[in-house]
Amino acid sequence: MKRSVFLGSVAAFVAASGGAALAAEGDTLKAVQDRGELICGVNTGLVGFAAPDASGNWTGFDIAICKAVAAAVLGDPNKVKYVPTTGQTRFTALSSGEVDVLARNSTWTFSRDTDLALDFIGVNYYDGQGFMVSKDLGVTSAKELDGATICIQTGTTTELNLADYFKANNMAYQPVNIDSNAEGEQQYMAGACDAYTTDASGLAATRAAFADPENHVILPEIVSKEPLGPAVRHGDNNWGDIVRWTLNALIAAEEYGVTSTNIEELASNSENPEVQRLLGSSDDLGAMIGLDKDWAKRAIMASGNYGEIFAKTIGEETPIGLARGLNAQWTQGGLLYAPPFR
């Protein structure tokens, strides 16, 4: 089987470093605490998910994960250094130890989980690959793109899905390779490609940043499953547990109605045993992962619960306008489900 360039480059790094890319148990938490700062690998700039403002302050759906982990581990959601990564550099940055956690729209796949020696700690956004075209093109379906030029980020699952989709539908296309979403936006707007393909959420975020979003259409076909989630290196299971259960705390908080505004009240008087354990009012779950009993409470207070984060960064009331869909709680017909806190 032919391996992609990005898979090969990281595997070569791991081999050359004699396995040093694997984290040692407990090393990451100690390194972060000694440093007094979490280093978070993020997108180079995707409005709604991870982008700096004019003052250089990062905000977004994925940024909230970084803040929550920093709050849990360091007691301060602002103690984060953000390292922009591209589709080509993100996994090397994580494997080499340049970043402590990768909180960037990255799809959880078999080869990334095993061959790249990464641990995806959960899914924070269930996505799928789509296509965006200019209204002027008059295209209403991806199956009308036979012979089209298509902007595609290299080193991504979308690159491989694109080839599969066109082959399955007996269509041809000409790829226009790009290295980042910013380059893709630039090339698409310059007319270098007929269509831009990436995760549907990324298309919505990109279109929201256009001066004329109404003149661009996201086609109805979703051609893949793209479970996006934060990742850490293999080897440091405790660090993986910390990041995993921080995400779970945000999801569970929404399910149990714990918000950034009522969290103090519920911490002191909730009669729900699960909420009591989540917020450290009873038991001391934090001690099991090397943290104090208030770690999850601080993580939730950093940016709110999962639903609050979704609503203010990418939700239907934002310019990006994404509906919850599959990312609704399991009690609301979605796929979000946090294991029990006990």
Side-chain angles (χ1 to χ4, degrees):
M1 181 180 71
K2 184 177 180 181
R3 303 173 72 197
S4 67
V5 172
F6 79 94
L7 280 176
S9 63
V10 175
F13 169 82
V14 173
S17 59
L22 297 180
E25 186 68 45
D27 274 5
T28 311
L29 174 60
K30 183 176 187 306
V32 171
Q33 291 178 329
D34 288 350
R35 189 191 305 129
E37 184 179 61
L38 174 74
I39 303 177
C40 211
V42 297
N43 198 298
T44 52
L46 184 61
V47 174
F49 285 87
D53 62 19
S55 301
N57 298 313
W58 286 81
T59 59
F61 183 77
D62 290 331
I63 297 301
I65 295 294
C66 303
K67 289 180 177 292
V69 174
V73 172
L74 298 171
D76 187 341
N78 297 312
K79 290 186 175 179
V80 184
K81 176 184 178 181
Y82 299 101
V83 175
T85 62
T86 68
Q88 291 280 11
T89 65
R90 54 186 164 174
F91 299 127
T92 303
L94 181 59
S95 296
S96 68
E98 182 184 357
V99 302
D100 301 312
V101 58
L102 185 68
R104 182 193 190 281
N105 50 326
S106 297
T107 303
W108 184 355
T109 72
F110 179 91
S111 58
R112 290 172 176 176
D113 207 25
T114 57
D115 196 34
L116 297 191
L118 305 181
D119 283 335
F120 282 83
I121 57 86
V123 176
N124 71 330
Y125 192 93
Y126 290 93
D127 211 341
Q129 182 175 346
F131 298 87
M132 179 168 63
V133 298
S134 169
K135 268 188 179 177
D136 293 341
L137 203 59
V139 170
T140 58
S141 166
K143 293 185 178 178
E144 298 172 23
L145 291 175
D146 188 17
T149 52
I150 299 181
C151 286
I152 178 73
Q153 286 193 56
T154 53
T156 64
T157 54
T158 53
E159 183 181 17
L160 308 177
N161 297 334
L162 179 66
D164 287 349
Y165 180 75
F166 273 72
K167 182 178 180 181
N169 288 282
N170 196 29
M171 299 192 301
Y173 69 99
Q174 180 63 44
V176 177
N177 294 325
I178 56 173
D179 194 44
S180 67
N181 189 67
E183 184 184 359
E185 178 181 335
Q186 182 182 43
Q187 293 281 42
Y188 171 79
M189 294 301 287
C193 50
D194 299 313
Y196 182 29
T197 185
T198 188
D199 299 337
S201 64
L203 293 177
T206 300
R207 184 175 63 173
F210 290 169
D212 60 340
E214 69 279 6
N215 292 326
H216 302 271
V217 179
I218 297 174
L219 300 177
E221 288 86 355
I222 297 296
V223 303
S224 69
K225 292 185 294 184
E226 305 292 335
L228 310 180
V232 298
R233 291 183 296 282
H234 268 186
D236 191 343
N237 293 330
N238 188 61
W239 181 246
D241 286 343
I242 289 171
V243 180
R244 176 179 302 107
W245 284 95
T246 297
L247 173 61
N248 285 334
L250 303 181
I251 294 171
E254 182 187 23
E255 177 180 349
Y256 294 115
V258 179
T259 70
S260 55
T261 56
N262 68 12
I263 189 168
E264 291 288 4
E265 178 185 355
L266 291 179
S268 61
N269 64 17
S270 175
E271 296 182 355
N272 184 327
E274 184 97 355
V275 172
Q276 292 175 4
R277 289 189 290 271
L278 175 67
L279 301 182
S281 305
S282 67
D283 300 31
D284 186 2
L285 300 185
M288 301 180 188
I289 51 176
L291 301 178
D292 64 17
K293 64 182 181 61
D294 293 327
W295 65 279
K297 180 182 172 186
R298 290 194 302 272
I300 298 163
M301 292 175 69
S303 303
N305 65 36
Y306 181 94
E308 291 178 282
I309 294 168
F310 192 105
K312 65 187 173 187
T313 56
I314 57 177
E316 292 181 289
E317 301 303 317
T318 70
I320 299 169
L322 293 173
R324 289 292 293 268
L326 295 177
N327 297 291
Q329 291 279 338
W330 67 285
T331 52
Q332 303 295 320
L335 298 178
L336 281 191
Y337 187 110
F341 277 76
R342 65 166 60 251

